[in-house]
Amino acid sequence: LLALTATAQAEEEQHPDLNDQHHEGMIYVGRMKEDEATGELMRVGFEKDNDVRYIFGTGFDSHHKAQEEWDLHLEHFGEFADHDLADRANRLKHEKNVREYLKKKRHGDIRKDGPKPFGHVDTHALDGGVAPPKYVEVEPFFLDVVPVTNAEYSKFVRSTAYETEAEKYGWSFVLSSFVRRPELLEEADIDPEAENWVAIHGAYWQMPEGPGSSYKGREQHPVVHVSHRDAAEYCTWVGKRLPGEKEYEGAARAGYWHSENRTLYAWGDDDSVNTAIKHMNFWQGDFPWNNTVDDGWKGTSPVKHYPPNEFGFYDMAGNVWEWMRGGKNKARIVRGASYVDSTDGHINHAATLGARSTIHGTTSTGNVGFRCAKSPKRKAEYHWVYHDEEVHGELRVEDEYRASEHASPEKGWEDMFDWGDDDEYGLYVEEDNDPDFDGYVTEVTEDEDGNKQTRKKRKVKKERTRVSTEL
């Protein structure tokens, strides 16, 4: 009986039309179809399978075998890839270079078939991307066109008086070659896991290089020196959330989702400097003291300086790493690479579309920012809740009230509800046009002996729970 009722109600209520949902500064990512009448691309609604399905993981898959062999065996390495990300936790074991890392991985005592901790993923040595690549499905979502800028974060801080974790701790990580005052560099502590990053007292998002510096003139650059919590608080303030890494990579690949068209970078597979400097902000020269600035930027760059990808997103690779939702606090996920990385991985990470790393959630540094995401609206779902006499006690006369005569119902009945005409399913529902209608429904059932029984219940809105493998 109740199953039939729920089915009828589900058929009555429709999902909101995705084509009517728009959010300023965000782009929709989901399955599209061509409208037969107009020929325009339209969003596929939730009534059908509208998930995005694509190959998720490192760009150095079997399609790029020749590139991988070149990088792994012809001494095409600089410093170990973890060195471009300072980590406040200092929990990772230090490795001097990639050759030592590869030797340990190939000849060490690591049991590949042994148990692995919850959340563990195998990653590629060049870009840190998940290895091997695999097909994943992602529900439709909206994502910010650009990373959150200094100007936007400034509005948040002024409106809420928010204090970032860098301000609470009193320091943040700055690239050693960016420190403007020599005395600060001499006194600073060095992160043993990222020896080119130093802890500068007084450095935070408004003073990115420490005392004496300012974000003025960089209002349209991505905000940096924000921790995972700082980023999540901002997204909550604007009614959004941090993106999942599968959402992020799906947007970054911009339709190039399958083996026949998957590429290393947004512009293709060409990793030459002359091509790359036209599309993203990355390091050229000797790291960390000599950046030839062929791309025009020593550090961060304005969020719309480089051309967008096919979907219209800017800075999905290079400029700054971006915080993702999920992970553990000691190993939060960042995606996208930054201005201290290279195209092929000879300096730090390879800034591919699969670039990935993890750092402690409290870490704030000069090359990590974020952008926000938002889920589309869906129809509300309901279920019936009966009055449980063992929990709520026996119904009293005063509980069966008329809305125009009595006060609120018994505590525990203040849920959101909806009602409709369900007579054909053995339910008696008071008329909607009755001004005294209070949402109570009387269910009439008949047992084997023909005895009728009645129960009071009401329809309650279900809480929507987002199930994700990224949490």
Side-chain angles (χ1 to χ4, degrees):
L1 175 65
L2 295 181
L4 290 173
T5 304
T7 301
Q9 291 162 351
E11 291 175 353
E12 292 173 3
E13 185 174 4
Q14 301 296 322
H15 285 285
D17 190 349
L18 288 176
N19 295 284
D20 295 334
Q21 299 185 40
H22 305 282
H23 300 283
E24 185 178 358
M26 306 188 83
I27 293 176
Y28 174 83
V29 180
R31 185 167 295 183
M32 310 288 283
K33 68 176 181 179
E34 186 175 310
D35 186 85
E36 296 179 358
T38 63
E40 297 180 359
L41 285 178
M42 306 292 289
R43 301 170 184 174
V44 177
F46 285 107
E47 294 80 8
K48 300 180 180 179
D49 179 13
N50 59 359
D51 290 356
V52 170
R53 189 169 186 265
Y54 74 98
I55 299 177
F56 166 82
T58 177
F60 297 98
D61 56 10
S62 58
H63 179 62
H64 303 94
K65 186 66 176 178
Q67 176 73 30
E68 180 178 7
E69 291 297 324
W70 174 269
D71 286 327
L72 287 177
H73 300 298
L74 296 186
E75 302 183 12
H76 202 53
F77 285 108
E79 299 176 81
F80 183 50
D82 278 349
H83 286 192
D84 69 321
L85 279 168
D87 190 330
R88 198 186 293 276
N90 291 332
R91 294 182 183 274
L92 299 176
K93 184 177 180 180
H94 184 54
E95 297 284 358
K96 291 296 183 182
N97 52 54
V98 176
R99 293 178 64 84
E100 185 176 336
Y101 167 78
L102 291 176
K103 180 179 179 180
K104 177 180 177 181
K105 190 169 184 178
R106 290 169 180 161
H107 308 292
D109 56 358
I110 300 176
R111 288 185 56 192
K112 294 183 179 181
D113 58 342
K116 297 178 180 178
F118 177 77
H120 171 83
V121 294
D122 292 319
T123 58
H124 195 278
L126 290 177
D127 62 2
V130 175
K134 58 183 179 181
Y135 266 104
V136 297
E137 293 186 357
V138 180
E139 291 186 350
F141 61 95
F142 290 91
L143 186 67
D144 283 347
V145 172
V146 296
V148 175
T149 63
N150 284 310
E152 292 169 326
Y153 204 79
S154 177
K155 294 178 183 178
F156 163 62
V157 172
R158 290 199 306 269
S159 299
T160 63
Y162 182 79
E163 185 180 34
T164 63
E165 292 197 295
E167 294 172 85
K168 294 176 183 177
Y169 286 118
W171 59 273
S172 188
F173 286 111
V174 179
L175 188 64
S176 55
S177 59
F178 284 10
V179 179
R180 299 184 178 185
R181 293 166 54 181
E183 63 273 17
L184 292 176
L185 189 58
E186 294 175 0
E187 300 171 358
D189 294 326
I190 299 176
D191 184 347
E193 308 302 330
E195 57 195 20
N196 297 308
W197 294 88
V198 292
I200 298 297
H201 290 276
Y204 71 114
W205 72 274
Q206 290 192 35
M207 293 191 289
E209 290 78 48
S213 64
S214 174
Y215 78 98
K216 297 298 182 180
R218 290 181 276 183
E219 286 84 356
Q220 297 308 312
H221 289 225
V223 65
V224 290
H225 294 288
V226 287
S227 68
H228 188 270
R229 175 174 293 178
D230 299 333
E233 290 287 352
Y234 173 89
C235 290
T236 301
W237 181 68
V238 295
K240 303 175 184 177
R241 59 172 173 80
L242 287 173
E245 66 167 319
K246 294 174 184 177
E247 292 175 331
Y248 185 91
E249 186 172 328
R253 295 198 177 278
Y256 295 92
W257 293 331
H258 307 289
S259 58
E260 66 271 14
N261 61 2
R262 198 168 185 259
T263 60
L264 276 172
Y265 314 101
W267 63 88
D269 289 335
D270 185 359
D271 66 352
S272 65
V273 172
N274 290 336
T275 299
I277 59 176
K278 301 174 184 177
H279 297 274
M280 72 175 181
N281 180 1
F282 64 102
W283 194 275
Q284 307 97 54
D286 298 325
F287 183 79
W289 295 100
N290 180 31
N291 188 344
T292 58
V293 197
D294 296 329
D295 58 3
W297 304 98
K298 183 179 180 181
T300 59
S301 57
V303 292
K304 288 190 176 181
H305 177 75
Y306 294 96
N309 67 11
E310 292 289 335
F311 279 179
F313 294 107
Y314 293 84
D315 286 348
M316 298 301 283
N319 208 4
V320 294
W321 289 94
E322 299 185 28
W323 289 110
M324 301 289 109
R325 64 195 290 259
K328 304 175 183 179
N329 196 48
K330 64 180 181 180
R332 293 292 188 184
I333 303 165
V334 289
R335 296 298 304 263
S338 75
Y339 60 82
V340 302
D341 295 300
S342 57
T343 57
D344 55 10
H346 77 281
I347 298 175
N348 301 315
H349 280 75
T352 67
L353 296 176
R356 179 186 191 272
S357 189
T358 57
I359 53 177
H360 197 278
T362 61
T363 299
S364 60
T365 181
N367 68 332
V368 178
F370 69 100
R371 75 180 74 204
C372 303
K374 190 177 183 71
S375 299
K377 292 181 180 179
R378 305 176 68 165
K379 73 176 181 181
E381 296 181 356
Y382 301 89
H383 63 139
W384 292 108
V385 175
Y386 289 94
H387 180 88
D388 189 340
E389 294 187 359
E390 294 183 0
V391 176
H392 299 99
E394 186 177 355
L395 280 172
R396 301 184 299 271
V397 175
E398 55 266 32
D399 291 328
E400 301 186 27
Y401 72 101
R402 311 298 289 181
S404 61
E405 300 176 13
H406 303 287
S408 299
E410 186 177 13
K411 185 177 180 181
W413 288 68
E414 297 90 346
D415 308 89
M416 298 180 63
F417 56 87
D418 192 15
W419 48 80
D421 186 4
D422 294 308
D423 287 345
E424 60 180 304
Y425 298 102
L427 303 177
Y428 167 69
V429 184
E430 302 179 54
E431 295 296 331
D432 289 359
N433 56 9
D434 184 347
D436 291 323
F437 178 56
D438 54 24
Y440 288 102
V441 173
T442 301
E443 180 186 69
V444 181
T445 59
E446 188 172 316
D447 60 21
E448 296 178 354
D449 299 328
N451 299 317
K452 290 187 177 181
Q453 298 178 341
T454 61
R455 298 177 70 186
K456 298 284 286 187
K457 65 179 183 179
R458 73 179 350 169
K459 192 162 65 173
V460 177
K461 186 176 182 179
K462 286 184 178 180
E463 291 187 7
R464 183 171 296 283
T465 302
R466 184 176 180 85
V467 179
S468 174
T469 58
E470 299 169 352
L471 297 180

